[in-house]
Amino acid sequence: MMNVNRFVVLSKAFGVGNRLLAGRARHVGREATLLQLRRSFKTHSRNLAYAKDLFLGQLNKAEVFPYPEISNEELEELKQFVAPVDKFFSEEVDSAKIDREARIPPETLNGLKELGLFGIMVPEEYGGLGLSNTMYARLAEITSLDGSIAVTLAAHQAIGLKGILIAGNEAQKQKYLPKLASGEHIAAFCLTEPGSGSDAASIQTRATLSEDGKHYLLNGSKIWISNGGMADIMTVFARTHVDVDGEKKDKISAFIVERAFGGITSGKPEDKLGIRGSNTCEVSFDNVPVPLENVIGEVGGGFKIAMNILNSGRFSMGSSSAGMIKKLIELTSEYAATRKQFDKSLSEFGMIQEKFAIMAINAFVMESMAYLTAGMMDRPGLPDCSLEAAMVKVFSSEGGWICCSEALQVLGGLGYTKNYPFERYVRDCRILPIFEGTNEILRMYIALTGMQYAGKVITGKIKEMKKGNVSTIMGAIGQRLRTSIAGPADLGLTGKDGVVHQSLTESAKKLEQNVHLFGSTVENLLYRYGKTIVDEQLILKKVADVLINLYAMTAVLSRASRSISIGLRNHDHEVLLANTFCTDAFFKNSYAMVQLQKHSPENNDASIKKIAKEVLDSRHYICSHPLERTY
Amino acid sequence: MKSTRCLLQLQRLRLLGQSGRSCVQFGALLQSASTSQPSVLQNKVLRHFHSSTSCGKNRSVPATFVNEDKKKEDKSLATYDDLFERVAKEIKTKATFNKVIDVFNKKDIRRRGHVEFIYAALKKMPEFGVEGDIAVYNKLLDVFPKEVFVPKNYIQRMFNHYPRQQECGVQVLEQMENYGIMPNIETKVLLIQIFGEKSHPIRKFQRIMYWFPKFKNINPFPVPKQLPEDPVDMARFSLSRIAGDLDAKVTVYQLPCTDVTESGEEITLPHIVGIQSPNQMEMLAKHNPNKPVFVEGPFPLWLRKTCVHYYILRADPTPPEEKKEEPYDPERCLDFPLQLDLDLDRDLSEEETFDVEDLEDGPVFAMCMTSKGDQATLNQWISGIQENNPILGEVPTLFRLDVGSQLLQGVADTESNHSNQSHDETQGQEPQPGEEAEVIVDKQPRRSQGMKQ
């Protein structure tokens, strides 16, 4: 029985592997044929992604099982890339020095350029490595060993040149990509302005058409621009006048701006807590002439471009954090094994053991999520994985912070000193929950995107229920009764057509149970709040957290099932990690969903808001000092 | 049941007190007449009087008494009000009040007539300005002889022991309570020494100590005991208090000063202190320039016993047909949808707000305080605000000043008022005097011209 099951999983895994192969940009020729092949056994639209369906209580297992793979050739190729990069980072990069001097030495930068790390995802025809998202994620694991370098590279290619890559025309690509891919030019992404980060209305930088109509004049200033001081090519977003149906409107457009155009000044680099080697500064534009052909996409179409760039850059944070944690485990475990206390080594103490377990689980989950998402993105077509990518980012940035802090804790006072790299890791990884969209913003995005999707589908049903349609209500009650008597619905992860390995059955059941409950919770929330759920941030936060956990559970189940099926080394350890994580996440989800079913006065939300209001109204801590007296 | 009994008892006490007072007046007279007698005799007489409370009633104080009183001030205590008047002839301060108590204390070791004295003192306290001083109350309680009124056996304890004295003690505490004075540990020690552990005054003390601390910080907007002396500081304080917005910025448009012009005329410039928050500036900037704004006032603001006046710049509420909601811009937020495109409203069970009948009022754009509420001065204020709110140059400004209260205010400084107006005129600003009752339309362009000059 088990063998048969494994065989099924295996064959499916190979199938996806082939499909993944097709996803790579350089195999353009084969893409079309494989696309057809793929379409032949997919029935629904490609735009449907896994996470959105969870909001309806559906587990779209075909999307995430089996775990995506890359072909043997690709793996070989990847290993060839990875080895020298790994060597370079362990031998040539002096992270302590970069942190101390707050700059990356030119020879290090040159080394990175020679390795081709400035154009990992730029197609080969433009002089880049032309790697897929999956392979990019693998390299990010290594580059993340130095936060400053990781951020510099990410600002360059994950957002800086992404605009040209995804929305630029052929001429723009020909002109700019080769130099950017080689690292001769460095790119930056200029969106944020002093107003605020996510509010497009705060963008005051303006591009006005010059009198002769040949170029735009760019005026304004941008803040917190990574690589702002050294970038030669910038993607700048500015307001432009656009005629929409004869009406003049202010719309945002994206421009490629070369420093050589003149009129660009960079401020002093910001003195930061972490990632000190990366260059972050203010960039001012004073009547910078930008030729008309340097508009990316359409004039007035900058908003969509900015959104797409931001949404596509996030998935790699999962593998970056995982890479960092794996390194930390190596560093700390050596200490824990050698350090003696009461004639015992640290590794024999339960509380220290727990820290290593936390680190291992987190690294495992992040890896699983990151490569699952990267694999989904590498599929042919234009899969919209922004929701999944956002979840990877939120989970890994927070997990990374916890793990760095736990690793430091293992060393105690030693970890707090500059003699060890742990304090630097802690400082560096504090940026993760902040940049590329703060986790708060991303949680809103995760929850609201799903709510919008689910709302569209079940609005009709809810309206019927509100009207008092007896059959709908009876249907809902009947369904609830059925689940309470017969247990949660079987969503098909296990059993006859199961995709999860038997050793993970328990965890799969938990996931199914949670998904089912999540569906009804979402329905309940939409019934209660309707479109005003936008203003219920505390609820949305819980919804997002549950969804992130569900996606994480899916990722580990999928990965561990594959590992055990094809017999990867230490797959039993993976099963252990997966089961542990799923049990933990199941409890967290159940608790969060119980809270979500309650009304705000009962689940503390009302009190939390009230506390915050009272403090914020007076703008200080308002309790009397405990030593204060009245008589 | 219990409380009614208490009330009855109190009434009885009060009656007793009245009769007792007249009786002791008589006693005092007697005492003053017999100062040369041996103290033994005096004692006897006193005791005799103490026990019989009815005999003084039909005797009035003879006319000679007052004369005698004048001769020997420290001996006679005919009416204690008089004692206070005499000791503190010119100045009524805490020191003189304490002196009166000292005089009374020293006069007689037995503190004869102390109950009447304390009642009189309580009445006089506000006059001396010591009604809020705990030390004085303690000193007053100290007048009671110690340990005499403490019940010593169960019968005394069962019945109301020395009811008149206990009532007097309660009255002292009552007055403290009325003035919001918290008793301190000294008060407690005194009361225990005088009346014992379970007496009425101690009960009263305990009740006060139960409630007072609870109410001490009940006011979320406490007014400090000591208000600022300087009118500018006072205006600053009052304005921030009314504004209730931590972002609101106080601007002093003019400091009070006295100048002598070339012609030798003395000019007193009033202080002008204004407050405006960023939100108010934003609202003002969005104001429809075709609709007038109004300067209104003065409105009173009471801070403890001080009353100050303020003026506001306001507009009528926007009529509903002119209100336009900002259209939802889907390209506003880069990261998440600000609105959901759903046809579902909030369920009734989630509506947590009450149905409150809201009456909309017009926006208040700024407030100011000045020592002189005429139009010229207020115009100066408006010009000051205009620097940060350029829209005021386009909006007609109407002055709707309440003349009545202004007259009341302005009586004292009519002189300076006049001179200031002429001063304003020379500056080419509003020539109209502020006392005009009608609403005057201010020609805004002229004011902005004046600004430019």
Side-chain angles (χ1 to χ4, degrees), chain A residues 453-466:
Chain A
Y453 175 76
K456 281 276 180 214
V457 179
I458 55 178
T459 298
K461 185 181 167 194
I462 292 174
K463 285 204 148 179
E464 286 295 307
M465 280 169 80
K466 287 203 179 186

Side-chain angles (χ1 to χ4, degrees), chain A residues 191 198-201 303 307 314 441 445 448 452 455-456 463 466 527-534 536 599-600 617 619 630-631, chain B residues 182-183 209 213 216-217 245-247 330-350 352:
Chain A
L191 177 66
S198 297
D199 188 354
F303 184 83
M307 249 174 58
R314 291 182 186 124
I441 290 272
Y445 172 72
L448 285 177
Q452 173 73 68
K456 281 276 180 214
K463 285 204 148 179
K466 287 203 179 186
Y527 182 92
R528 279 161 59 194
Y529 295 102
K531 60 186 175 194
T532 60
I533 193 133
V534 180
E536 304 291 333
H599 292 259
S600 63
D617 278 351
R619 298 190 192 173
T630 48
Y631 60 90
Chain B
M182 177 103 68
M209 291 311 279
K216 193 176 180 189
N217 292 311
D245 184 343
L246 295 167
D247 289 323
E331 301 203 346
R332 175 78 195 265
C333 181
L334 282 161
D335 292 291
F336 60 90
L338 293 175
Q339 281 183 16
L340 288 188
D341 179 23
L342 289 181
D343 189 24
L344 277 176
D345 285 322
R346 203 181 180 90
D347 196 55
L348 283 175
S349 63
E350 290 301 316
E352 276 148 19

Side-chain angles (χ1 to χ4, degrees), chain B residues 16 114 178 191 230 339 382 402:
Chain B
L16 262 173
H114 63 265
N178 289 341
L191 288 174
D230 181 48
Q339 281 183 16
I382 296 293
D402 188 353

Side-chain angles (χ1 to χ4, degrees), chain B residues 228-340:
Chain B
E229 300 264 314
D230 181 48
V232 176
D233 287 344
M234 182 69 178
R236 204 187 287 271
F237 169 76
S238 330
L239 284 171
S240 353
R241 189 178 159 82
I242 319 172
D245 184 343
L246 295 167
D247 289 323
K249 209 171 126 245
V250 177
T251 318
V252 181
Y253 294 100
Q254 186 169 285
L255 282 167
C257 63
T258 314
D259 255 349
V260 182
T261 56
E262 289 169 21
S263 56
E265 207 179 353
E266 198 172 89
I267 297 172
T268 314
L269 295 174
H271 69 268
I272 307 172
V273 183
I275 192 165
Q276 200 180 26
S277 70
N279 281 344
Q280 287 174 317
M281 283 168 77
E282 215 173 283
M283 272 202 295
L284 185 52
K286 282 183 192 157
H287 181 76
N288 180 359
N290 300 324
K291 296 273 172 98
V293 291
F294 308 103
V295 177
E296 289 183 1
F299 300 106
L301 168 72
W302 283 95
L303 299 162
R304 290 192 188 274
K305 289 177 178 171
T306 328
C307 180
V308 286
H309 291 90
Y310 63 95
Y311 299 83
I312 60 171
L313 176 69
R314 61 167 280 264
D316 282 333
T318 331
E321 63 269 17
E322 277 182 36
K323 270 184 213 158
K324 48 176 184 209
E325 273 185 29
E326 296 256 320
Y328 167 60
D329 179 9
E331 301 203 346
R332 175 78 195 265
C333 181
L334 282 161
D335 292 291
F336 60 90
L338 293 175
Q339 281 183 16
L340 288 188

Side-chain angles (χ1 to χ4, degrees), chain A residues 397-547:
Chain A
S397 58
E398 281 168 13
W401 171 247
I402 293 168
C403 290
C404 284
S405 144
E406 290 288 24
L408 189 147
Q409 186 74 19
V410 171
L411 272 84
L414 280 182
Y416 199 64
T417 63
K418 291 224 173 197
N419 303 334
Y420 287 83
F422 299 100
E423 58 90 28
R424 194 186 71 238
Y425 277 112
V426 167
R427 282 189 286 117
D428 282 356
C429 83
R430 190 61 188 84
I431 189 65
L432 299 180
I434 298 171
F435 73 176
E436 301 223 13
T438 62
N439 284 5
E440 286 72 22
I441 290 272
L442 289 181
R443 282 197 164 93
M444 291 289 285
Y445 172 72
I446 292 164
L448 285 177
T449 313
M451 282 292 176
Q452 173 73 68
Y453 175 76
K456 281 276 180 214
V457 179
I458 55 178
T459 298
K461 185 181 167 194
I462 292 174
K463 285 204 148 179
E464 286 295 307
M465 280 169 80
K466 287 203 179 186
K467 266 193 230 149
N469 187 321
V470 181
S471 65
T472 325
I473 297 174
M474 289 313 284
I477 295 172
Q479 203 186 348
R480 215 163 279 177
L481 272 176
R482 233 170 292 139
T483 37
S484 62
I485 295 165
D490 181 9
L491 298 174
L493 287 183
T494 53
K496 191 160 160 275
D497 288 327
V499 281
V500 173
H501 191 267
Q502 280 166 342
S503 52
L504 295 157
T505 307
E506 279 300 304
S507 301
K509 287 268 176 235
K510 281 173 183 157
L511 173 62
E512 284 177 344
Q513 199 180 327
N514 267 342
V515 169
H516 183 77
L517 184 59
F518 185 60
S520 55
T521 307
V522 166
E523 192 181 313
N524 176 262
L525 289 175
L526 282 168
Y527 182 92
R528 279 161 59 194
Y529 295 102
K531 60 186 175 194
T532 60
I533 193 133
V534 180
D535 304 317
E536 304 291 333
Q537 295 209 343
L538 292 179
I539 287 175
L540 292 174
K541 183 188 174 221
K542 292 188 191 101
V543 169
D545 282 341
V546 172
L547 189 71

Side-chain angles (χ1 to χ4, degrees), chain B residues 100-169:
Chain B
V100 179
I101 299 176
D102 288 337
V103 166
F104 178 82
N105 281 350
K106 272 182 208 141
K107 197 188 59 56
D108 176 15
I109 195 159
R110 258 161 280 281
R111 310 271 164 89
R112 202 176 303 119
H114 63 265
V115 171
E116 287 69 28
F117 174 77
I118 289 169
Y119 277 122
L122 285 177
K123 220 168 72 192
K124 285 282 173 190
M125 281 178 96
E127 267 178 53
F128 284 75
V130 291
E131 75 275 15
D133 195 330
I134 178 66
V136 176
Y137 283 102
N138 285 341
K139 197 171 169 76
L140 205 55
L141 282 176
D142 205 16
V143 172
F144 280 110
K146 311 293 173 307
E147 289 170 19
V148 182
F149 311 133
V150 181
K152 296 199 171 57
N153 52 49
Y154 73 94
I155 293 176
Q156 287 179 347
R157 226 165 287 146
M158 211 153 61
F159 295 98
N160 213 351
H161 198 48
Y162 284 98
R164 213 160 65 82
Q165 280 74 6
Q166 288 209 41
E167 164 70 356
C168 181

